[in-house]
Each structure stands twice: as C-alpha cells, then as structure tokens.
Amino acid sequence: MSFTRRSFLVATGAALTAGSFHGAAFAAGAPDTRFTPRVLGNPDAKVVVEEWFSLTCIHCAHFAEQTFPQVRKNLIDTGKIRYVFHDFPTDQLATLAAMVARTLPEERYEPFCSAVLSSLDRWAYNNEADHKAELQKMAAFAGMPAETFEKAVTDQNLLQFIMSEQSQAQDKYNIESTPTFRFNNKEQVSSALSYDDFVKYLTKAS
C-alpha cells in the first residue's frame, strides 16, 4: 500500500480527539510496554529483519498469511533471525488497529495483528460494517475489555508515539509503501515477498 505525507496526515489526524488516556492498562509504577519494540526471535541472532506494515494493507495481509508462517517456523523459531515489527499505518483505521495492538500484552501483539490482517474483508473493507465495532470484537477476543479498548483508541500519547516512529522511519529510510523490509540494514525492499524471495534477500544481507 502506497504512502504519502498527505495520507500520513489523514491517517493520524482525523478522529482521535475524544480524549487522552495515560497508562491504559498498567499498574502504577509498572513499565509501559506500549512503547517498547515488538520483536520475535533470538536477541543474539546475527541477522535482524525489520518489517514496516499497515493493518489495513492487503499486501501486508498477503505476506502475513502466505509467507510469514514459513519465516517464523524456519527462521525465527530456529534462532536464525531476530524479527522486528514496525507500525506504519496508512489510514485512520490502521492507526486505530495499531493503537489497540500495542495496548495488548506484548505476546498478543503479533497474533492480534495476524488476526486483523486475515479479516480485512470483514472489518476494514466491508462498507456495511461498523469498522470500530468490528475491531473491538477482535480486541475482545484477544482479551481486551471494552473500557480498555476505548481508552486505547483515544490515547494521545500512544498516537503521538506511532506518528513519530512512522515519520522518523519515512525520513530515515524513505519508506513509501507497505510492507517494507530491511535485512540487516543492508537490503531494503517494498513488496509482499514470497518465502523464496525473502530468503534471497536474507542471504544477500548475511
């Protein structure tokens, strides 16, 4: 899915003005993990793969459904690579979904994102659906109470964090579409890679 400065402003500035919430679901004094990296795999792996993705991107969904399961089984779970997820929402719905995903416990982030991406036709691209309500249903299935959901999608601190990370990534790496991958900071490609192509870029960057 392509990205422009204009779409960035549309994605982040439209309807998230209902209020702010500080420390959504965390006890006093506990670390706020909403702002920590979302990472899978061996922290000492020699190869780091980063993915920038949007939770309403059909190309990201294709990669998540067709390629990522093989990447996880063959490369992440075997300790060969460390995989870093970066939220890069390209519209308002994707921004809401990213805020919800980051408010969940860290171990539920990737499963929730996978569920969201595999259900785009039902919640994001169904013109008759209440998009927010459908997103809340998925969040509830992941264990998020309704009150926490409402606080998550109106949390201005979290919104600003995602906006800032997204803007920095675009300025630093000139990211213009999702999904975009970087392999060991050597190879960068914007495409819903097949597993074979993923391995080719991995080999070139190793």
Side-chain angles (χ1 to χ4, degrees):
M1 185 173 291
S2 62
F3 174 85
T4 64
R5 286 288 187 185
R6 182 177 180 277
S7 67
F8 174 75
L9 294 174
V10 170
T12 56
L16 302 177
T17 57
S20 62
F21 177 75
H22 306 282
F26 304 93
D32 193 338
T33 57
R34 293 172 301 164
F35 308 115
T36 58
R38 295 298 185 260
V39 182
L40 294 176
N42 178 9
D44 299 319
K46 294 182 180 180
V47 178
V48 177
V49 179
E50 299 175 88
E51 179 190 0
W52 285 263
F53 67 101
S54 174
L55 286 170
T56 54
C57 169
I58 58 173
H59 307 295
C60 301
H62 180 81
F63 175 83
E65 293 180 45
Q66 301 298 321
T67 303
F68 185 76
Q70 295 178 77
V71 170
R72 179 152 195 174
K73 178 182 177 180
N74 299 333
L75 302 171
I76 297 174
D77 291 347
T78 57
K80 295 178 180 178
I81 68 172
R82 180 161 59 96
Y83 200 93
V84 184
F85 297 97
H86 296 285
D87 304 298
F88 200 88
T90 53
D91 57 51
Q92 183 184 325
L93 284 178
T95 304
L96 291 175
M99 294 170 75
V100 173
R102 280 196 159 268
T103 304
L104 286 165
E106 290 180 84
E107 68 274 10
R108 298 182 196 172
Y109 174 86
E110 186 274 324
F112 178 76
C113 290
S114 294
V116 167
L117 287 168
S118 68
S119 306
L120 292 181
D121 288 345
R122 177 166 60 83
W123 81 276
Y125 293 115
N126 181 354
N127 291 331
E128 297 181 358
D130 182 331
H131 305 299
K132 183 180 174 182
E134 291 298 325
L135 182 62
Q136 184 173 357
K137 289 178 184 177
M138 287 185 281
F141 189 76
M144 179 179 286
E147 180 182 2
T148 302
F149 176 88
E150 289 299 329
K151 291 174 178 177
V153 298
T154 56
D155 186 333
Q156 298 300 300
N157 286 342
L158 182 56
L159 172 62
Q160 290 298 327
F161 170 79
I162 292 173
M163 290 174 62
S164 177
E165 291 287 300
Q166 184 180 28
S167 182
Q168 290 176 31
Q170 194 198 22
D171 291 342
K172 187 173 182 179
Y173 300 123
N174 195 32
I175 296 174
E176 296 182 350
S177 63
T178 53
T180 292
F181 302 89
R182 285 184 64 82
F183 297 82
N184 251 7
N185 278 324
K186 295 179 181 179
E187 297 287 333
Q188 179 169 320
V189 59
S190 296
S191 175
L193 296 171
S194 67
Y195 180 72
D196 289 343
D197 286 338
F198 188 96
V199 172
K200 288 178 183 178
Y201 280 101
L202 193 63
T203 301
K204 289 173 65 177
S206 299

